[in-house]
Amino acid sequence: MRALFSRYPLLIVLLLCGYAFLYLPIFSLIIYSFNESRLVTVWGGFSTKWYGELVNNAPLLNAAWLSIKIAALNATLAIVLGTFAALAIVRMRGTRGHKSLGIMVTAPLVMPEIIIGLSLLLLFVALEDLTGWPEGRGQVTILIAHVTFSMAYVTVIVQSRLAHMDRSIEEAAMDLGARPLKVFFTITLPMIAPALAAGWLLAFTLSMDDLVIASFVSGPGATTLPMVVYSSVRLGVSPQINALATIMIAVVSLAVLIAAVIMYRQEAADQKRK
């Protein structure tokens, strides 16, 4: 490290500044979640009382549970649909409609969120007028909206993994008599498992973080955590928000650690095969 710093001092300093810019606000949020004072910018001593009050804050906990539930369902559905889309894009290259499929699948990546939210709102209103479904807007409409845009991110991740995968293993298995479905579950799926884990975590995070699209497609009975936090911030940030954010950071960090271990083991297995 000392030799690297002596050779590239400016790059190391810029790197440290970048990490500090990204992570110091998170560390300060965690520290102030243990603040005695009601003011989040004034340190009043160490205390865990805001975690106790958070347990009794039913609206905030209900919004957090709703967001986690929608995010988990969204990530799972996005993985399934995104994997199918990636397989179609990679394995059907050169066929008619291949480019059009790729453009349609990845369009939400460059589409402004406000446009996606507004278009989905108009779609749900038109469907309700024509068919009676969905009856109002709530968890189902939020889930559909989140899957619509998060599946595009999953498709790009899985597509990249499939494009660089050695297909000779699959071809050898099919030459030995394995059916395509069995080849997919026993060979293809384990090989793209790191991409699936990364896509699931990304889709989960995008859903938990979404405010704009959820604001368009949600109803009175479905309020997600970002919507509650945004509405409370306008009246002043409560230390309970810091406490809840600290818990979420701990959970997400644990999930990322588990995913890193899975990816490390997968890479080690790939190295042994080579």
Side-chain angles (χ1 to χ4, degrees):
M1 183 66 183
R2 185 177 298 176
L4 185 63
F5 182 78
S6 61
R7 293 182 61 184
Y8 308 103
L10 181 60
L11 292 179
I12 298 298
V13 170
L14 291 176
L15 179 64
L16 293 176
C17 290
Y19 277 121
F21 180 79
L22 290 174
Y23 291 106
L24 281 180
I26 297 177
F27 289 140
S28 66
L29 182 146
I30 295 173
I31 292 171
Y32 276 94
S33 69
F34 298 99
N35 186 14
E36 174 72 24
S37 173
R38 183 174 292 274
L39 300 175
V40 295
T41 57
V42 178
W43 181 257
F46 181 86
S47 175
T48 59
K49 71 175 185 178
W50 301 114
Y51 289 89
E53 293 192 11
L54 177 63
V55 176
N56 299 320
N57 192 333
L60 191 61
L61 292 179
N62 291 336
W65 171 242
L66 177 64
S67 292
I68 292 172
K69 183 168 60 174
I70 291 176
L73 290 172
N74 161 71
T76 304
L77 292 174
I79 281 293
V80 175
L81 297 176
T83 301
F84 287 155
L87 283 169
I89 293 173
V90 174
R91 301 295 168 82
M92 298 174 63
R93 187 166 296 167
T95 60
R96 185 177 181 181
H98 168 264
K99 292 184 178 179
S100 299
L101 175 62
I103 293 173
M104 287 189 293
V105 168
T106 57
L109 293 173
V110 296
M111 193 77 66
E113 288 187 345
I114 192 170
I115 301 298
I116 298 175
L118 180 59
S119 61
L120 287 172
L121 173 62
L122 296 176
L123 173 64
F124 292 141
V125 171
L127 284 175
E128 186 177 3
D129 291 338
L130 292 174
T131 65
W133 183 91
E135 189 175 353
R137 282 164 294 284
Q139 300 182 31
V140 175
T141 54
I142 296 175
L143 177 61
I144 294 172
H146 284 187
V147 172
T148 300
F149 74 86
S150 60
M151 134 184 194
Y153 292 88
V154 175
T155 301
V156 171
I157 295 173
V158 178
Q159 178 185 349
S160 176
R161 177 67 175 173
L162 286 170
H164 295 88
M165 193 179 72
D166 186 7
R167 292 200 61 187
S168 61
I169 303 175
E170 296 176 318
E171 294 171 354
M174 286 188 285
D175 289 340
L176 293 173
R179 295 182 178 275
L181 192 62
K182 186 175 182 180
V183 170
F184 174 77
F185 281 106
T186 59
I187 296 177
T188 308
L189 204 59
M191 294 181 70
I192 64 173
L196 297 180
W200 196 95
L201 289 172
L202 180 59
F204 184 91
T205 304
L206 289 171
S207 179
M208 285 290 296
D209 185 57
D210 176 64
L211 171 65
V212 177
I213 296 177
S215 299
F216 277 96
V217 299
S218 64
T223 305
T224 61
L225 182 61
M227 296 170 65
V228 173
V229 172
Y230 179 72
S231 62
S232 65
V233 165
R234 289 185 296 178
L235 302 175
V237 180
S238 170
Q240 295 182 37
I241 302 296
N242 290 355
L244 179 62
T246 301
I247 295 173
M248 293 177 62
I249 290 170
V251 173
V252 170
S253 300
L254 180 61
V256 170
L257 180 62
I258 294 172
V261 171
I262 293 174
M263 295 178 67
Y264 174 78
R265 291 181 178 179
Q266 183 67 33
E267 291 177 357
D270 292 341
Q271 292 294 330
K272 287 183 180 180
R273 292 193 195 101
K274 294 178 180 180

